[in-house]
Amino acid sequence: MGKFILLDTRLFAPGADLSGASNKIELTSEIEDKDATTYRSGGWKEVLGGLGSAEISAEGLWEAGDPSMVDDASWSTLGGIGPYTVCPGDSVVGALAYVTSGMRADYKVGDAVGEIAPWSGTVKSSWPLVRGQIAHPPGTARTATGTGTGLNLGAIPAGKRLYAALHVLSATGTTPSITARIESGDATFTAPTTRLTFAAATTAGGQILRGTGTAVADAYYRVAWTVTGTTPSFMFAVSLGIR
């Protein structure tokens, strides 16, 4: 991805796509610098990395009246911890994505008379900010069991983890249920191995999982899902990354 203008940035909260209500999204990630200077530091300050943190701040145009809208989604998650995914560009399969688990720390609405009603909010991380890819796009409805496109994320070295976020954006039908999992394998997935399994979801909402830190030799990863119910249909987005 070369230089580009921010025109189609995507923001997925636990169970809502807030992209259409947002006009500014910022990500920050930092490590505390702890002073480790001694008399033997040669006259230069020495630092060690301390605690890490990440933050997502966003703002846009206020809407309410449906769980998919920013006011409903913000109030339902305020003070809670869940998955968040941000894409600098579009959210097609393979698109660059930043993923974290964080707490919805604040929510602000309102402005002066005559102004379009705005909103703003902040998410503070409880897990690392992970640079990854979109494994399932939000605009494709799934009505039956299936698998997604494989992504070449590379092998996972010992001490690193696979991170995966699931955003179920809508669920329709009679007793609909979807159970998503993350599989790894070779490029053809002839004998895939399940690495992470999300809890069954029956309504809009979000989940995030991470691996154990054990090395994985497989380079390719994909999302697979099992759908049950009568005339079920799900819209969902999945992001994957290794850190």
Side-chain angles (χ1 to χ4, degrees), residues 11 13 44 62 70 89 101 116-117 135 160-161 169-170 184 189 194 211 219 228:
L11 171 60
W44 288 87
W62 183 89
V70 66
S101 175
I116 297 176
K160 300 290 186 179
R161 299 182 188 222
L169 306 175
S170 67
S184 69
F189 288 90
T194 297
T228 62

mmCIF file of all heavy atoms in Angstrom, residues 11 13 44 62 70 89 101 116-117 135 160-161 169-170 184 189 194 211 219 228:
data_model
loop_
_atom_site.group_PDB
_atom_site.id
_atom_site.type_symbol
_atom_site.label_atom_id
_atom_site.label_comp_id
_atom_site.label_asym_id
_atom_site.label_seq_id
_atom_site.Cartn_x
_atom_site.Cartn_y
_atom_site.Cartn_z
ATOM 1 N N LEU A 11 -14.186 1.121 10.733
ATOM 2 C CA LEU A 11 -14.124 0.950 12.180
ATOM 3 C C LEU A 11 -15.195 -0.035 12.602
ATOM 4 O O LEU A 11 -16.387 0.223 12.435
ATOM 5 C CB LEU A 11 -14.328 2.290 12.891
ATOM 6 C CG LEU A 11 -14.499 2.231 14.415
ATOM 7 C CD1 LEU A 11 -13.267 1.610 15.077
ATOM 8 C CD2 LEU A 11 -14.771 3.625 14.975
ATOM 9 N N ALA A 13 -16.662 -1.917 15.838
ATOM 10 C CA ALA A 13 -16.783 -2.082 17.279
ATOM 11 C C ALA A 13 -17.252 -3.510 17.512
ATOM 12 O O ALA A 13 -17.421 -4.262 16.552
ATOM 13 C CB ALA A 13 -17.763 -1.051 17.826
ATOM 14 N N TRP A 44 25.246 9.327 28.706
ATOM 15 C CA TRP A 44 24.030 9.306 27.897
ATOM 16 C C TRP A 44 22.888 8.656 28.685
ATOM 17 O O TRP A 44 23.102 7.700 29.432
ATOM 18 C CB TRP A 44 24.249 8.526 26.603
ATOM 19 C CG TRP A 44 25.124 9.255 25.627
ATOM 20 C CD1 TRP A 44 26.479 9.228 25.564
ATOM 21 C CD2 TRP A 44 24.689 10.146 24.617
ATOM 22 N NE1 TRP A 44 26.930 10.036 24.567
ATOM 23 C CE2 TRP A 44 25.849 10.623 23.957
ATOM 24 C CE3 TRP A 44 23.448 10.598 24.186
ATOM 25 C CZ2 TRP A 44 25.799 11.530 22.901
ATOM 26 C CZ3 TRP A 44 23.392 11.491 23.126
ATOM 27 C CH2 TRP A 44 24.546 11.952 22.499
ATOM 28 N N TRP A 62 -23.644 11.769 14.736
ATOM 29 C CA TRP A 62 -24.456 11.009 15.679
ATOM 30 C C TRP A 62 -25.695 10.428 15.017
ATOM 31 O O TRP A 62 -26.364 11.085 14.212
ATOM 32 C CB TRP A 62 -24.868 11.928 16.816
ATOM 33 C CG TRP A 62 -25.660 11.303 17.920
ATOM 34 C CD1 TRP A 62 -25.167 10.710 19.036
ATOM 35 C CD2 TRP A 62 -27.088 11.252 18.028
ATOM 36 N NE1 TRP A 62 -26.194 10.271 19.849
ATOM 37 C CE2 TRP A 62 -27.390 10.596 19.240
ATOM 38 C CE3 TRP A 62 -28.132 11.681 17.217
ATOM 39 C CZ2 TRP A 62 -28.692 10.366 19.663
ATOM 40 C CZ3 TRP A 62 -29.435 11.453 17.636
ATOM 41 C CH2 TRP A 62 -29.701 10.804 18.845
ATOM 42 N N VAL A 70 -24.415 4.392 16.082
ATOM 43 C CA VAL A 70 -23.326 4.717 16.987
ATOM 44 C C VAL A 70 -23.795 4.966 18.415
ATOM 45 O O VAL A 70 -23.122 4.552 19.373
ATOM 46 C CB VAL A 70 -22.520 5.915 16.444
ATOM 47 C CG1 VAL A 70 -23.358 7.191 16.427
ATOM 48 C CG2 VAL A 70 -21.251 6.111 17.260
ATOM 49 N N GLY A 89 -7.862 1.465 4.801
ATOM 50 C CA GLY A 89 -8.597 1.523 3.544
ATOM 51 C C GLY A 89 -9.850 0.688 3.645
ATOM 52 O O GLY A 89 -10.494 0.633 4.701
ATOM 53 N N SER A 101 -8.123 -5.711 21.728
ATOM 54 C CA SER A 101 -9.198 -5.820 22.706
ATOM 55 C C SER A 101 -9.071 -4.618 23.616
ATOM 56 O O SER A 101 -7.988 -4.355 24.161
ATOM 57 C CB SER A 101 -9.064 -7.113 23.519
ATOM 58 O OG SER A 101 -10.034 -7.171 24.547
ATOM 59 N N ILE A 116 -24.453 20.003 12.951
ATOM 60 C CA ILE A 116 -24.824 18.593 12.820
ATOM 61 C C ILE A 116 -24.404 17.882 14.100
ATOM 62 O O ILE A 116 -23.276 18.035 14.568
ATOM 63 C CB ILE A 116 -24.141 17.959 11.605
ATOM 64 C CG1 ILE A 116 -24.612 18.630 10.318
ATOM 65 C CG2 ILE A 116 -24.424 16.462 11.544
ATOM 66 C CD1 ILE A 116 -23.905 18.133 9.071
ATOM 67 N N ALA A 117 -25.300 17.121 14.693
ATOM 68 C CA ALA A 117 -25.009 16.462 15.966
ATOM 69 C C ALA A 117 -23.800 15.542 15.827
ATOM 70 O O ALA A 117 -23.821 14.621 15.010
ATOM 71 C CB ALA A 117 -26.228 15.670 16.435
ATOM 72 N N ALA A 135 -9.884 -11.231 7.270
ATOM 73 C CA ALA A 135 -10.058 -12.616 6.816
ATOM 74 C C ALA A 135 -11.463 -12.867 6.287
ATOM 75 O O ALA A 135 -11.680 -13.836 5.555
ATOM 76 C CB ALA A 135 -9.748 -13.587 7.948
ATOM 77 N N LYS A 160 5.256 -15.678 20.168
ATOM 78 C CA LYS A 160 4.297 -14.850 19.465
ATOM 79 C C LYS A 160 2.932 -15.525 19.495
ATOM 80 O O LYS A 160 2.824 -16.724 19.755
ATOM 81 C CB LYS A 160 4.726 -14.627 18.007
ATOM 82 C CG LYS A 160 6.074 -13.942 17.856
ATOM 83 C CD LYS A 160 6.019 -12.492 18.274
ATOM 84 C CE LYS A 160 7.336 -11.782 17.976
ATOM 85 N NZ LYS A 160 7.298 -10.352 18.362
ATOM 86 N N ARG A 161 1.876 -14.762 19.208
ATOM 87 C CA ARG A 161 0.529 -15.308 19.276
ATOM 88 C C ARG A 161 -0.273 -14.946 18.033
ATOM 89 O O ARG A 161 -0.048 -13.903 17.418
ATOM 90 C CB ARG A 161 -0.222 -14.758 20.491
ATOM 91 C CG ARG A 161 0.396 -15.072 21.834
ATOM 92 C CD ARG A 161 -0.503 -14.493 22.912
ATOM 93 N NE ARG A 161 0.091 -14.581 24.238
ATOM 94 C CZ ARG A 161 -0.565 -14.935 25.334
ATOM 95 N NH1 ARG A 161 -1.843 -15.260 25.254
ATOM 96 N NH2 ARG A 161 0.027 -14.966 26.507
ATOM 97 N N LEU A 169 -22.238 -8.650 12.831
ATOM 98 C CA LEU A 169 -22.920 -7.373 12.611
ATOM 99 C C LEU A 169 -24.425 -7.522 12.528
ATOM 100 O O LEU A 169 -25.163 -6.571 12.826
ATOM 101 C CB LEU A 169 -22.373 -6.718 11.340
ATOM 102 C CG LEU A 169 -20.847 -6.549 11.316
ATOM 103 C CD1 LEU A 169 -20.394 -6.008 9.971
ATOM 104 C CD2 LEU A 169 -20.386 -5.646 12.453
ATOM 105 N N SER A 170 -24.913 -8.690 12.113
ATOM 106 C CA SER A 170 -26.356 -8.934 12.071
ATOM 107 C C SER A 170 -26.610 -10.427 12.035
ATOM 108 O O SER A 170 -25.777 -11.197 11.551
ATOM 109 C CB SER A 170 -27.010 -8.253 10.863
ATOM 110 O OG SER A 170 -26.577 -8.861 9.656
ATOM 111 N N SER A 184 -5.465 -23.289 10.414
ATOM 112 C CA SER A 184 -4.177 -23.087 9.750
ATOM 113 C C SER A 184 -3.865 -24.312 8.901
ATOM 114 O O SER A 184 -4.428 -25.391 9.095
ATOM 115 C CB SER A 184 -3.062 -22.866 10.780
ATOM 116 O OG SER A 184 -2.799 -24.055 11.504
ATOM 117 N N PHE A 189 -4.901 -26.050 2.254
ATOM 118 C CA PHE A 189 -5.670 -26.482 3.430
ATOM 119 C C PHE A 189 -6.172 -27.928 3.269
ATOM 120 O O PHE A 189 -7.314 -28.246 3.577
ATOM 121 C CB PHE A 189 -6.857 -25.541 3.681
ATOM 122 C CG PHE A 189 -6.442 -24.200 4.220
ATOM 123 C CD1 PHE A 189 -6.160 -23.148 3.359
ATOM 124 C CD2 PHE A 189 -6.311 -23.995 5.579
ATOM 125 C CE1 PHE A 189 -5.760 -21.915 3.855
ATOM 126 C CE2 PHE A 189 -5.901 -22.761 6.087
ATOM 127 C CZ PHE A 189 -5.632 -21.711 5.222
ATOM 128 N N THR A 194 -7.474 -26.660 13.525
ATOM 129 C CA THR A 194 -8.192 -25.589 14.213
ATOM 130 C C THR A 194 -7.303 -24.995 15.291
ATOM 131 O O THR A 194 -6.800 -25.712 16.165
ATOM 132 C CB THR A 194 -9.489 -26.113 14.841
ATOM 133 O OG1 THR A 194 -10.351 -26.590 13.799
ATOM 134 C CG2 THR A 194 -10.200 -25.011 15.603
ATOM 135 N N GLY A 211 -3.810 -16.942 20.678
ATOM 136 C CA GLY A 211 -3.176 -18.226 20.896
ATOM 137 C C GLY A 211 -2.369 -18.271 22.175
ATOM 138 O O GLY A 211 -2.311 -17.304 22.948
ATOM 139 N N ALA A 219 1.851 -21.574 7.625
ATOM 140 C CA ALA A 219 1.945 -20.183 7.189
ATOM 141 C C ALA A 219 0.600 -19.597 6.792
ATOM 142 O O ALA A 219 0.436 -18.375 6.753
ATOM 143 C CB ALA A 219 2.914 -20.061 6.017
ATOM 144 N N THR A 228 -26.275 -22.776 11.681
ATOM 145 C CA THR A 228 -27.470 -23.587 11.891
ATOM 146 C C THR A 228 -28.677 -22.679 12.095
ATOM 147 O O THR A 228 -28.541 -21.474 12.294
ATOM 148 C CB THR A 228 -27.316 -24.516 13.109
ATOM 149 O OG1 THR A 228 -27.133 -23.708 14.288
ATOM 150 C CG2 THR A 228 -26.142 -25.458 12.945
#
